[in-house]
Amino acid sequence: MLFLKNILCNFFSQVRSIFFVFINIFNKRETVMYPEEKTKLFPRYRGRIVLTQDENGNDRCVACNLCASVCPSSCIILQQDKDNNGRSYPKFFKIDFSRCIFCGLCEEACPTAAIQLLPDFELSDYRRQDLIYEKEDLIISNQGKYLDYDFYSVSGVKLKNKNLCKNSKHVNNVDTKKILP
Ligand code: SF4
Ligand code: SF4
């Protein structure tokens, strides 16, 4: 009896599987035949990291080191230098993509919108050493995702009505020593 029951269960299981295959035969296929067919990436997908330039072709990066400090996998290394006008720029800038986890924290920390993650994931290579990208590999000659932001045109610019803030009774009432953590 048990033997017969097992046969019937297996038979109905097979019929059920064939039925589900049949009703899904005409459905839209979810599998993408990569690399012949490319997957759809959303605009905010975090992939390849680039260093952008401003509209005058100057590096946006001021080599402040914030991105390297915030990076959880310590894969950014850079050194600051200054040009003849006193403008800071990275003398070298390296990212080790074999360690990067594409978290996007470097982009969030960057005050100048220099470092950006773009929707491109095709970064594979045969040797780990080749995944260390130098500044020349990272730099792109446009502003990437943030077109209108130019750090050097807004930093240090005197704010309109700045003096009003100093004379404000709200500011005078604050004891800055008491609000320290
Ligand atoms: S995306 Fe994350 S892990 Fe990659 S360099 Fe930026 S902060 Fe580091
Ligand atoms: S990329 Fe941005 S955060 Fe990193 S050093 Fe340059 S300016 Fe600073």
Side-chain angles (χ1 to χ4, degrees):
M1 191 62 188
L2 185 63
F3 178 67
L4 191 62
K5 189 181 166 195
N6 280 343
I7 289 182
L8 280 174
C9 282
N10 286 337
F11 175 74
F12 282 114
S13 165
Q14 293 295 321
V15 170
R16 184 172 169 272
S17 304
I18 291 168
F19 172 73
F20 279 118
V21 168
F22 183 75
I23 62 170
N24 283 297
I25 236 167
F26 302 106
N27 283 354
K28 186 173 167 282
R29 192 174 59 189
E30 296 294 336
T31 313
V32 175
M33 302 304 283
Y34 180 82
E36 288 80 18
E37 198 181 329
K38 303 290 181 196
T39 48
K40 180 176 181 290
L41 293 180
F42 292 94
R44 293 180 66 186
Y45 182 91
R46 297 195 303 263
R48 178 188 298 274
I49 300 177
V50 293
L51 286 176
T52 58
Q53 292 185 324
D54 62 23
E55 56 191 10
N56 302 318
N58 297 314
D59 289 350
R60 267 175 162 175
C61 177
V62 292
C64 65
N65 215 43
L66 278 175
C67 54
S69 308
V70 81
C71 177
S73 50
S74 305
C75 59
I76 301 178
I77 180 169
L78 64 122
Q79 187 181 349
Q80 190 189 62
D81 204 352
K82 286 200 172 156
D83 66 13
N84 295 335
N85 300 320
R87 179 169 172 153
S88 302
Y89 70 97
K91 193 173 178 185
F92 68 79
F93 196 113
K94 299 179 194 212
I95 298 181
D96 184 350
F97 279 108
S98 68
R99 295 171 62 180
C100 176
I101 55 171
F102 302 100
C103 61
L105 286 176
C106 50
E107 180 175 337
E108 279 187 40
C110 181
T112 66
I115 192 164
Q116 297 178 24
L117 282 82
L118 300 186
D120 173 18
F121 59 91
E122 294 178 318
L123 284 164
S124 55
D125 221 313
Y126 290 103
R127 300 184 319 150
R128 286 184 68 123
Q129 302 91 292
D130 294 339
L131 287 168
I132 299 173
Y133 279 47
E134 302 285 342
K135 184 180 167 186
E136 305 75 58
D137 308 317
L138 296 167
I139 211 104
I140 60 168
S141 58
N142 61 54
Q143 294 110 354
K145 295 185 279 188
Y146 309 109
L147 298 180
D148 299 326
Y149 182 62
D150 181 6
F151 176 77
Y152 274 100
S153 69
V154 293
S155 63
V157 174
K158 189 176 179 185
L159 295 175
K160 215 175 166 187
N161 300 330
K162 197 173 176 185
N163 291 335
L164 287 180
C165 191
K166 273 187 190 163
N167 300 329
S168 159
K169 66 178 183 183
H170 300 296
V171 171
N172 291 337
N173 285 344
V174 174
D175 183 347
T176 48
K177 289 197 175 149
K178 281 196 180 153
I179 58 171
L180 288 175

